[in-house]
Amino acid sequence: MSVLVNKNSKIIVQGFTGSEGTFHASQMIEYGTNVVGGVTPGKGGSTHLDRPVFNTVKDAVVQAGADTSIIFVPPAFAADAIMEAADAGIKVIICITEGIPVADMIKAYDYIKGKDCRLVGPNCPGVITPEEAKVGIMPGFVFKKGTVGIVSKSGTLTYEAADQVVRQGFGITTAIGIGGDPIIGTTTKEAVELLMNDPETELIIMIGEIGGQLEADAAKWIKADGNKKPVVGFIAGETAPKGRTMGHAGAIVGGADDTAEAKKRIMRENGIHVVDSPAEIGKKVKEILG
């Protein structure tokens, strides 16, 4: 079992022939991910990285059976790319692009609401189910198969957590990088819920940061509905000054509950095993799983 992506996913790359798309698509293919083609308007009918190029996502769905898309499209066009994928019937849309205007994301978010699809991101590292599919920009060699699920707002801390889990002798079911923008498709709670419902995931690592309510919402849901598995939590940004964006567009302390301290308190109150440093994640996992 896995969530969102696996060896049977049929993946296309939007922005396939651009420099970012080319680089990361080749890494994904090398990892063994089932990339069935890519989309670059105007280049349909050609091939790139030994895969077909399509003019539209619809063509890729009809001709290659694509069900998953990863987006490497510049910020000005990325929201359109998300909407195009949803319109074409893609089930899992993973948007890597950073810097999409908030007004564009509001439009895209509203547009895909009624569609049968799930958006991960934007401004995220993607999703990886180790040894099956890497749909993103994460270093695949860090991840080994196992029973620990990861949900994270931070790309770098996703890799750090995975590395520590592996060093402790465990592995990962699926790691989901949800992204740190103010408006994202899949929330912390939704990603945690996917892993709670995955029979192979025994423990979940939840990595958050200052700004917004996502971690608090997830923590409250875990206590009320989803407390079937242990959750290890970490919040980045403890030393961040109030009112200043730190790294991610969404990482800005707005109210009293947006601080790292407040989020950690809420997580503890809801039964999450909170660590104060990312360096302690692996040890805590070992302590719980034994």
Side-chain angles (χ1 to χ4, degrees):
M1 277 297 287
S2 58
V3 300
L4 297 175
V5 300
N6 58 36
K7 62 179 182 296
N8 299 317
S9 299
K10 293 184 171 177
I11 295 140
I12 53 158
V13 180
Q14 286 174 262
F16 190 34
T17 58
S19 59
E20 293 284 317
T22 299
F23 175 77
H24 290 294
S26 58
Q27 301 271 311
M28 284 160 53
I29 291 164
E30 204 175 300
Y31 189 78
T33 308
N34 184 23
V35 177
V36 297
V39 177
T40 301
K43 294 194 177 173
S46 62
T47 57
H48 184 59
L49 305 178
D50 293 328
R51 302 292 190 279
V53 182
F54 302 98
N55 281 323
T56 66
V57 179
K58 191 79 187 161
D59 289 349
V61 170
V62 171
Q63 293 171 46
D67 55 23
T68 303
S69 170
I70 180 165
I71 296 174
F72 292 102
V73 170
F77 312 106
D80 279 348
I82 291 169
M83 292 187 280
E84 184 192 350
D87 219 30
I90 293 284
K91 297 287 178 263
V92 178
I93 304 162
I94 297 168
C95 185
I96 307 298
T97 309
E98 184 176 355
I100 301 176
V102 174
D104 287 8
M105 263 322 292
I106 291 170
K107 197 167 113 191
Y109 184 84
D110 284 343
Y111 185 82
I112 65 172
K113 239 189 227 159
K115 309 262 182 209
D116 177 22
C117 67
R118 177 178 290 281
L119 170 66
V120 178
N123 188 13
C124 78
V127 181
I128 183 167
T129 294
E131 294 160 42
E132 291 196 39
K134 165 175 120 89
V135 192
I137 59 174
M138 64 287 286
F141 67 89
V142 170
F143 296 80
K144 299 280 178 286
K145 208 172 206 31
T147 59
V148 177
I150 300 177
V151 174
S152 177
K153 267 192 191 172
S154 157
T156 318
L157 288 175
T158 309
Y159 325 145
E160 176 61 34
D163 186 51
Q164 286 186 35
V165 167
V166 169
R167 282 171 194 270
Q168 293 290 351
F170 300 97
I172 310 300
T173 45
T174 299
I176 307 167
I178 64 170
D181 273 7
I183 294 170
I184 54 172
T186 298
T187 64
T188 306
K189 177 208 155 253
E190 288 165 347
V192 167
E193 196 173 343
L194 287 171
L195 292 166
M196 278 290 180
N197 294 327
D198 171 41
E200 285 188 9
T201 300
E202 290 174 14
L203 177 147
I204 297 165
I205 296 170
M206 180 172 122
I207 299 171
E209 63 190 17
I210 56 166
Q213 291 293 310
L214 294 186
E215 298 84 357
D217 292 346
K220 287 167 188 164
W221 176 83
I222 287 164
K223 186 171 185 185
D225 300 303
N227 200 4
K228 301 191 279 262
K229 298 169 187 178
V231 180
V232 172
F234 172 70
I235 299 289
E238 198 145 357
T239 56
K242 281 189 180 160
R244 182 175 300 169
T245 304
M246 302 297 288
H248 285 152
I252 181 165
V253 176
D257 284 351
D258 288 8
T259 63
E261 213 33 74
K263 287 191 179 191
K264 289 201 299 200
R265 188 194 72 245
I266 293 164
M267 282 160 66
R268 283 193 181 100
E269 284 167 1
N270 287 282
I272 293 170
H273 304 267
V274 178
V275 296
D276 289 316
S277 158
E280 296 164 18
I281 293 170
K283 288 188 209 118
K284 183 56 83 175
V285 169
K286 189 171 178 63
E287 196 182 295
I288 297 166
L289 291 181

